[in-house]
Amino acid sequence: MKNKTKLGLTLTLLVLICSSTLYAFVSATGPATDTIEYVRVDRPLAPDALRNGDIDVYIFNILPEAQIEIGTSDPTIEFWEGISGMNCICLNPAPAPDGELNPFSITEIRYAMNFIFDRDFIVDEVYKGTAAKMYDYLGPYHPEVPDVADIKLTHGFVYDFEIANEMVENSMVLAGAEKRAGKWYYRDNPVTIKAMIRVEDERRDMGDMFAAELDKLGFTIDYIHTTFGPAIDTIYGTDPAAFEWSFYTEGFGLGASRWNTWEPGCWGGSADPDVGDWCANMPGWGVEEWWNYLSPGGRIEILNTDIYYGRYDDIDDRREKIREATDLMMQESVRIFGIRE
């Protein structure tokens, strides 16, 4: 295709609602269409499908290398870029049965995970500079960021294996574990992490890197490389206390508003039905008969419901609730926020 196609009465369109960046690649302009045809094209094939006229619009993220090429030097494709997704690591914080140990049930160990998640490397080498680092649920671009910037700096999340290792060592010993030949054991059984890693996109690299760091810390890793369907069934379709997974490479499509009401509750608040949280997006997912995460004293849940329902005196009171909720969510670290696409 030498020139950008002019649309007639039929538009061939690929639309995918996904858990990552929203990109629109447009190779055609023209009048309104009578027919919209939806087709599926694998990410690596999308640029050539546009160039060849097989599709007219592609709304999804593509490989970082192709983003760079198309965005800078391809005259045949109009490139619209939007930041609308995130990838993170969700940890399973459920308490283990008697005689077993789940390290992610220990707050200090979850917090330490922020220091083995090498956000700089992932952004620079995996995403080739087409993503940005996240340290909390707001990320770098949200309008609320100025209100919590000092809190994020206080936590100082950077890659530092030695800091993470010291925190894990102290916490594991206090929990009754012991290290033998570089591996953690609890009551003579290896402490095993079930790493559920999606394989369709950059999350495979992100998950493999995170699992490799956990291996260096002394945990035994059970790699579970999987695709969308089996992952969703396991993560969101089983009781966390059944321990079908220890961590998962989550991804979400996102938007943002200046007066943020729902995000604190969705990314850090409880799904415990007794609390009445309205989002149910924490391990347990609000299923009544399952184990559900609840923050210490339910403080995060109280703050989140106050923010959502407008239970504050004025803008300063609201700001303080956002600040406290953000700080507590970073301390709890059930989610290790990583990449804003």
Side-chain angles (χ1 to χ4, degrees), residues 96-147:
D98 289 342
E100 300 180 30
L101 175 63
N102 172 22
F104 295 148
S105 69
I106 302 171
T107 305
E108 291 76 10
I109 291 180
R110 294 198 305 269
Y111 188 81
M113 297 300 97
N114 287 283
F115 297 96
I116 62 163
F117 193 47
D118 195 343
R119 297 167 175 89
D120 286 306
F121 185 87
I122 293 171
V123 167
D124 294 341
E125 301 300 327
V126 176
Y127 284 88
K128 311 299 181 185
T130 62
K133 295 175 287 185
M134 293 182 71
Y135 303 100
D136 67 324
Y137 70 99
L138 291 174
Y141 306 116
H142 198 285
E144 301 270 11
V145 167
D147 291 337

Side-chain angles (χ1 to χ4, degrees), residues 147-159:
D147 291 337
V148 300
D150 61 318
I151 291 173
K152 294 198 285 188
L153 290 173
T154 298
H155 286 279
F157 290 159
V158 295
Y159 178 81

Side-chain angles (χ1 to χ4, degrees), residues 177-340:
E178 62 176 333
K179 214 171 193 180
R180 305 175 190 167
K183 289 294 181 183
W184 286 108
Y185 286 81
Y186 184 75
R187 299 190 180 181
D188 293 327
N189 294 313
V191 179
T192 300
I193 301 294
K194 293 182 178 180
M196 184 152 289
I197 300 169
R198 290 279 291 278
V199 300
E200 302 97 327
D201 52 33
E202 290 77 18
R203 280 178 290 172
R204 173 158 193 167
D205 293 325
M206 185 179 80
D208 285 346
M209 290 175 59
F210 188 68
E213 294 292 320
L214 288 166
D215 180 77
K216 286 169 57 181
L217 288 171
F219 297 109
T220 299
I221 308 300
D222 178 9
Y223 285 88
I224 307 172
H225 291 110
T226 187
T227 54
F228 173 83
I232 297 301
D233 287 345
T234 300
I235 301 302
Y236 307 113
T238 65
D239 186 343
F243 290 104
E244 296 293 323
W245 61 283
S246 301
F247 81 77
Y248 172 55
T249 53
E250 279 188 316
F252 296 94
L254 294 179
S257 64
R258 173 61 184 93
W259 304 111
N260 176 24
T261 58
W262 60 270
E263 288 181 274
C266 270
W267 307 125
S270 173
D272 191 320
D274 294 331
V275 176
D277 184 76
W278 46 270
C279 195
N281 198 34
M282 295 294 283
W285 324 116
V287 179
E288 190 170 353
E289 62 270 22
W290 292 355
W291 178 88
N292 276 264
Y293 167 80
L294 179 65
S295 68
R299 181 59 181 166
I300 292 177
E301 290 71 30
I302 292 169
L303 291 165
N304 288 344
T305 51
D306 284 352
I307 293 164
Y308 183 70
Y309 291 110
R311 298 170 184 161
Y312 39 81
D313 297 331
D314 52 30
I315 190 63
D316 290 332
D317 185 31
R318 179 187 179 279
R319 183 181 298 112
E320 287 307 310
K321 290 179 185 295
I322 289 280
R323 286 171 57 81
E324 185 180 354
T326 301
D327 187 34
L328 291 174
M329 282 189 276
M330 293 180 78
Q331 291 179 36
E332 282 289 288
S333 287
V334 176
R335 282 188 169 91
I336 309 301
F337 295 98
I339 303 302
R340 186 81 150 127

Side-chain angles (χ1 to χ4, degrees), residues 12-16 22-27 39-47 49-50 55-63 77-80:
T12 303
L13 173 68
L14 177 81
V15 177
L16 294 175
L22 179 65
Y23 290 97
F25 298 88
V26 182
S27 63
V39 297
R40 181 182 184 277
V41 175
D42 290 335
R43 282 202 316 160
L45 304 179
L50 284 165
I55 59 175
D56 298 300
V57 179
Y58 185 77
I59 305 177
F60 194 58
N61 70 330
I62 63 171
L63 299 176
I77 300 175
E78 294 180 18
F79 180 35
W80 299 341

